[in-house]
Amino acid sequence: MKKIELLAPAKNAEIGITAINFGADAVYIGATGFGARSAANNEIDEIEKLIKHAHLFNAKVYATINTIIYDHELEEVEKLINELYKINVDAIIIQDMSILEMDLPPIPIFASTQADNRTVEKVNFFEEIGIKRVILARELSIPEITKIKQATNIELEAFVHGSICVSYSGQCNMSQATCDRSGNRGDCAQNCRLEYDLLDRNQKAIIKNKHLLSLKDMNLSGHIPELLEAGITSFKIEGRLKDEGYVKNVVAYYRKKIDEAISRTSSKKSSSGEMIFDFEPDLQKSFNRGFTRYFIEGRKNKTGSIDTPKSIGKKVGEVVKCNPTFVEIKSLEQITNGDGLCYFDENNVLQGFSVNKVMGDKIFTNTPQEILPKTYLYRNFDIVFNRQLENSRTTRKIAVHFELIESETGFIIKLIDQDKIESKTSFDTVKEPAQNTEKNKASITQALSKLGNTPFIMKDVIFFWSTDFFIPTSQLSEIKRNLIEKHIQKRINSYKNIEVTRESNSINYPISPSDYSFNISNKKAREFYEKHSVEVKEMAYEIENTADAILMTTKHCIKYENDLCPKYNISKEGKKINPEFIKDKYGNIFELGFDCKRCVMTIKMKYKCEKH
């Protein structure tokens, strides 16, 4: 039976534990450096705490070591991987191929999406050199994923929710070029979220002050069945910088969606325990810039969040009229004191305000507003929902049953859980026949069923005795408590990490020679590629700062987004417009390239403002 995984982000151990408790089958977390989010590093002892909790539920923990590495860091990275192996991390996620030339423990290795995994040939290569899983490029469509799966046997992981890098992951040097901050080193300056002017060949502005490279957030919750059928076994939520409320809501939502999808297949989820939710998750109530299905169906929809890179939340109403003291709205949802609302003004600039008081359809604001009638209002801070998340008593419970067995000198109590793991204890006592058989069994069953804040929920009790005996419930409670503690430790100890054997080989890499886009930043990475028949001509952009380098390659197309695409959606006026550059607020000018045959856009540096 195929096991399906919901994979959640963990900024730290506490949020990782929350993700497990709210339904994740696995979490990914940054270690002490070398993760693609430099602001989300964690000490080894914190990760170990998370691992023990995860393994109790047969859930997994993956550590991200998916930056490129410099020569002086190689020894430190090798030591770190060995430390992670010792605390039972389930796999490491890598971008830099130097790691495969290190003296590694038998820990599974996943190829990060930063390794630019978008072709059958690349995925096949990774399978042949012993990579356990490939994390696919976000840009792939269902047919493209299906094609890869049909040609390989490797595990496939896909992002299904969250923020999107506008560039193919691992193929963006824009931050390094403008700010000397490398996205490949976990320190991206997020140039894609800035405002730009779109310029023609004479550098005359076509569009001014728009977030031309900023994308909406991915939401593939409506495509889980198709992704399952295409061969995805791990569904990944982006967000290692997101807060606990975001993780609770999004994980709960996808837990329900995935459970619904796999209930119609022969697959099952990869971890243990059943969820008991006390709230209804809603993706629109957590941080989002609006949603896109990106290219899962091909190029069918616009993907940009051109007017703002900020969260807009959920549409809650339409303005009827506005005066200096209140806003009257036609409401779609109940508004509450303390909510944060936002709207796009007549210039399509995002504005916002806090709600001081609500009286019927009238909203009294913290500051005077000037909003045109028929303007949509969005709620990007829902105070009621946030409190609900904060106070949620959602639980994850492993089903168990007890067996009460008569022995010569007393009784044996067995606890057997849904994974067939068994713990038992015995106690001596005077065996006194029960006076009321039915009431006695009900009393014992009730005493054993009270499992409180433990990770277990009782399904039933089976009695194996010659006659009904009376057992004081006070005596059972202490015995049960000790048995539960014993079983928790037994589950953790019985968890078996997957270990792999990798044999070095010299299978040809599908592309040669190399350029800066291979991100080769150290001697071991160079050795790796040369061993696999790659002629290494250039080192990583961070090392050589290659002149005339392509800073970004993306399927997001500024022409398409602005109805200037000659292939899909050119307007009559658009036929006369030929965008060639974009200019940021610092004065940097970038040259655009449009490869319409491959349907990709490239960005190069045209002019760098040295004052920036």
Side-chain angles (χ1 to χ4, degrees), residues 13 29-32 42-55 59-63 79-92 105 107 492 495 497 499:
I29 187 169
T32 50
N42 294 274
E43 297 296 328
I44 290 291
D45 59 344
E46 283 295 296
I47 298 175
E48 186 174 20
K49 180 172 71 174
L50 168 60
I51 288 168
K52 287 180 178 178
H53 184 78
H55 287 179
K60 293 179 169 60
V61 176
Y62 309 134
K79 180 182 176 183
L80 176 59
I81 293 170
N82 278 278
E83 288 176 348
L84 291 166
Y85 171 73
K86 288 175 184 175
I87 62 169
N88 294 321
V89 161
D90 290 280
I92 57 169
I107 189 170
I492 294 171
Y495 182 90
N497 288 71
E499 297 198 341

Side-chain angles (χ1 to χ4, degrees), residues 15-69:
I15 291 178
I17 289 169
T18 295
I20 299 297
N21 291 344
F22 277 68
D25 300 304
V27 297
Y28 60 104
I29 187 169
T32 50
F34 311 107
R37 298 290 183 273
S38 61
N41 293 333
N42 294 274
E43 297 296 328
I44 290 291
D45 59 344
E46 283 295 296
I47 298 175
E48 186 174 20
K49 180 172 71 174
L50 168 60
I51 288 168
K52 287 180 178 178
H53 184 78
H55 287 179
L56 174 63
F57 293 96
N58 282 325
K60 293 179 169 60
V61 176
Y62 309 134
T64 58
I65 305 182
N66 58 341
T67 63
I68 60 171
I69 302 162

Side-chain angles (χ1 to χ4, degrees), residues 402-571:
F402 290 95
E403 292 180 0
L404 188 56
I405 305 164
E406 180 186 358
S407 67
E408 285 188 12
T409 57
F411 299 94
I412 299 167
I413 299 182
K414 285 185 180 180
L415 184 158
I416 305 169
D417 66 32
Q418 66 184 67
D419 298 309
K420 310 302 181 188
I421 300 172
E422 177 182 311
S423 297
K424 65 180 178 180
T425 189
S426 61
F427 61 99
D428 295 338
T429 188
V430 176
K431 289 187 278 189
E432 180 183 344
Q435 294 181 356
N436 185 323
T437 299
E438 190 174 324
K439 186 176 180 181
N440 180 60
K441 279 187 174 180
S443 178
I444 291 171
T445 300
Q446 185 179 24
L448 291 174
S449 70
K450 292 179 179 178
L451 299 177
N453 291 326
T454 75
F456 306 111
I457 185 169
M458 193 195 77
K459 293 301 183 184
D460 59 16
V461 179
I462 303 172
F463 296 86
F464 295 95
W465 52 23
S466 58
T467 187
D468 288 315
F469 293 104
F470 171 74
I471 303 174
T473 55
S474 58
Q475 186 179 12
L476 274 179
S477 295
E478 179 66 16
I479 293 166
K480 177 188 66 177
R481 185 179 65 80
N482 292 332
L483 181 60
I484 290 292
E485 290 178 1
K486 179 180 179 180
H487 193 69
I488 288 173
Q489 196 58 49
K490 187 167 187 178
R491 280 190 64 90
I492 294 171
N493 293 341
S494 65
Y495 182 90
K496 299 297 181 187
N497 288 71
I498 295 172
E499 297 198 341
V500 298
T501 302
R502 282 177 296 272
E503 294 183 5
S504 181
N505 62 49
S506 56
I507 293 166
N508 287 355
Y509 191 77
I511 306 168
S512 184
S514 80
D515 60 15
Y516 57 88
S517 69
F518 280 52
N519 294 326
I520 302 170
S521 59
N522 60 71
K523 59 187 178 184
K524 282 188 178 292
R526 184 178 190 124
E527 288 170 10
F528 170 87
Y529 284 105
E530 288 177 341
K531 182 174 74 175
H532 293 285
S533 302
V534 175
E535 181 187 358
V536 177
K537 286 198 167 184
E538 293 179 332
M539 298 296 281
Y541 184 82
E542 289 82 353
I543 302 295
E544 294 187 352
N545 210 345
T546 309
D548 200 38
I550 293 174
L551 301 183
M552 183 186 293
T553 304
T554 173
K555 279 185 73 70
H556 174 74
C557 179
I558 288 176
K559 281 189 176 182
Y560 181 87
E561 292 291 313
N562 292 283
D563 298 327
L564 303 173
C565 173
K567 185 176 179 180
Y568 286 100
N569 59 359
I570 193 166
S571 63

Side-chain angles (χ1 to χ4, degrees), residues 96-299:
D96 196 312
M97 296 299 119
S98 66
I99 289 172
L100 297 173
E101 297 298 303
M102 295 177 181
D103 184 13
L104 297 180
I107 189 170
I109 293 177
F110 298 169
S112 170
T113 192
Q114 292 290 120
D116 189 24
N117 308 316
R118 48 184 156 127
T119 67
V120 169
E121 294 76 15
K122 187 83 165 280
V123 176
N124 259 326
F125 172 77
F126 281 139
E127 181 178 2
E128 289 177 330
I129 64 171
I131 296 291
K132 183 78 165 55
R133 177 187 295 182
V134 166
I135 304 164
L136 296 173
R138 291 174 175 88
E139 290 81 1
L140 296 181
S141 65
I142 291 288
E144 288 170 326
I145 295 170
T146 302
K147 182 180 177 182
I148 290 172
K149 185 59 185 175
Q150 288 173 346
T152 61
N153 293 310
I154 200 167
E155 291 180 15
L156 298 181
E157 178 182 308
F159 281 92
V160 292
H161 195 86
S163 301
I164 310 172
C165 292
V166 65
S167 173
Y168 282 110
S169 291
Q171 298 297 294
C172 184
N173 295 302
M174 207 162 175
S175 175
Q176 178 70 26
T178 58
C179 308
D180 201 28
R181 290 173 54 182
S182 169
N184 285 316
R185 299 271 294 164
D187 195 27
C188 179
Q190 293 199 310
N191 300 64
C192 55
R193 301 300 180 187
L194 296 177
E195 284 185 329
Y196 291 90
D197 294 342
L198 182 63
L199 312 176
D200 65 15
R201 67 185 60 182
N202 299 314
Q203 297 190 19
K204 180 181 178 182
I206 301 166
I207 297 172
K208 292 184 69 68
N209 301 324
K210 289 296 181 181
H211 302 271
L212 298 173
L213 300 177
S214 182
L215 299 184
K216 297 175 184 176
D217 289 355
M218 178 180 276
N219 179 352
L220 301 185
S221 60
H223 291 272
I224 301 300
E226 297 100 306
L227 287 164
L228 275 171
E229 189 174 348
I232 299 301
T233 54
S234 181
F235 295 82
K236 188 172 196 172
I237 298 166
E238 181 277 338
R240 279 197 296 123
L241 297 180
K242 294 294 196 296
D243 61 25
E244 190 172 52
Y246 179 93
V247 170
K248 285 179 177 180
N249 183 34
V250 178
V251 168
Y253 190 90
Y254 277 89
R255 178 75 276 157
K256 290 188 172 188
K257 281 287 185 182
I258 290 172
D259 285 349
E260 179 185 346
I262 63 178
S263 69
R264 297 190 292 270
T265 70
S266 59
S267 302
K268 68 175 184 177
K269 69 180 181 182
S270 62
S271 63
S272 304
E274 300 302 322
M275 299 306 307
I276 305 170
F277 293 108
D278 64 355
F279 72 102
E280 190 58 41
D282 186 339
L283 295 178
Q284 295 185 78
K285 291 185 178 182
S286 285
F287 183 101
N288 73 85
R289 304 173 177 91
F291 290 124
T292 174
R293 298 184 297 280
Y294 211 31
F295 298 105
I296 200 69
E297 302 168 307
R299 192 179 292 280

Side-chain angles (χ1 to χ4, degrees), residues 295-342:
F295 298 105
I296 200 69
E297 302 168 307
R299 192 179 292 280
K300 288 191 173 181
N301 300 283
K302 293 184 178 180
T303 58
S305 176
I306 191 170
D307 292 318
T308 181
K310 298 178 182 179
S311 176
I312 60 173
K314 186 174 186 178
K315 186 189 293 185
V316 292
E318 183 179 324
V319 173
V320 175
K321 66 179 180 180
C322 177
N323 67 37
T325 58
F326 66 83
V327 180
E328 185 177 334
I329 70 167
K330 180 180 175 182
S331 183
L332 300 173
E333 291 206 354
Q334 184 174 338
I335 311 297
T336 306
N337 298 353
D339 280 348
L341 302 183
C342 61

